[in-house]
């Protein structure tokens, strides 16, 4: 098994026309770090994920790619249609919703976490007479 360093794998991904994300049909509440890396790369995502799951919801709202069926025949038809559009140059102007995607950046998530901690700690500090 070949293992690539994360940075090298991301560099290879930048040269791709599409990025593949696969989650099992039962993984409705799962979204992986790879999804957020893919969103930042800005390439169309081909996602074989639960259609009613969290990953699919994020991809749809970000306008970041395609949700593929787990059923082989239907997936084949979807991939054929996507490939036909790609060969006609339809994805040259692919633009996911960068404003939506920005909410998943590490700095923003860290800021939200810090704000949550402030909300939790401030009332406790007031009750104990401690100040910030």
């Amino acid at each position: 098994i070949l293992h690539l360093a994360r940075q090298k794998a991301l560099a290879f991904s930048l040269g791709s026309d599409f990025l593949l994300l696969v989650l099992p049909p039962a993984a409705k509440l799962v979204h992986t770090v790879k999804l957020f890396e893919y969103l930042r790369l800005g390439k169309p995502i081909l996602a074989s994920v639960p259609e009613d799951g969290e990953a699919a919801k994020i991809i749809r709202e970000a306008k970041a790619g395609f949700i593929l069926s787990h059923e082989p025949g239907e997936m084949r038809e979807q991939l054929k249609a996507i490939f036909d559009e790609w060969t006609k140059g339809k994805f040259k102007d692919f633009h996911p919703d960068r404003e939506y995607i920005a909410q998943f950046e590490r700095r923003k998530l860290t800021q939200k976490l810090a704000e949550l901690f402030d909300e939790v700690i401030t009332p406790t500090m007031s009750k104990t007479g401690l100040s910030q």
Side-chain angles (χ1 to χ4, degrees), residues 114-129:
E115 289 169 359
L116 178 63
F117 285 159
D118 285 344
E119 287 178 30
V120 171
I121 292 170
T122 302
T124 303
M125 292 176 75
S126 297
K127 289 178 187 176
T128 61

Side-chain angles (χ1 to χ4, degrees), residues 1-5 8-9 12:
I1 295 177
L2 177 65
H3 177 74
L4 291 177
K8 194 168 191 174
F12 279 127

Side-chain angles (χ1 to χ4, degrees), residues 39-121:
L39 290 171
R40 280 196 314 273
L41 290 171
K43 303 280 185 168
I45 300 169
L46 299 174
S48 179
V49 300
E51 292 183 34
D52 57 346
E54 285 297 310
K57 177 182 175 217
I58 291 170
I59 292 167
R60 282 188 191 104
E61 290 181 8
K63 300 176 181 97
F66 305 90
I67 308 306
L68 303 174
S69 171
H70 278 97
E71 194 279 308
E74 189 174 336
M75 182 189 290
R76 183 175 28 259
E77 291 302 315
Q78 290 172 313
L79 289 171
K80 183 184 178 316
I82 293 166
F83 180 76
D84 288 346
E85 290 178 6
W86 176 72
T87 57
K88 293 174 186 170
K90 183 170 181 175
F91 301 120
K92 290 193 186 307
D93 294 323
F94 178 79
H95 299 291
D97 185 342
R98 289 283 172 206
E99 189 173 321
Y100 176 83
I101 293 168
Q103 71 180 307
F104 302 113
E105 292 175 1
R106 286 186 178 135
R107 287 186 180 141
K108 292 222 180 199
L109 293 174
T110 302
Q111 179 183 357
K112 285 182 181 181
L113 183 59
E115 289 169 359
L116 178 63
F117 285 159
D118 285 344
E119 287 178 30
V120 171
I121 292 170

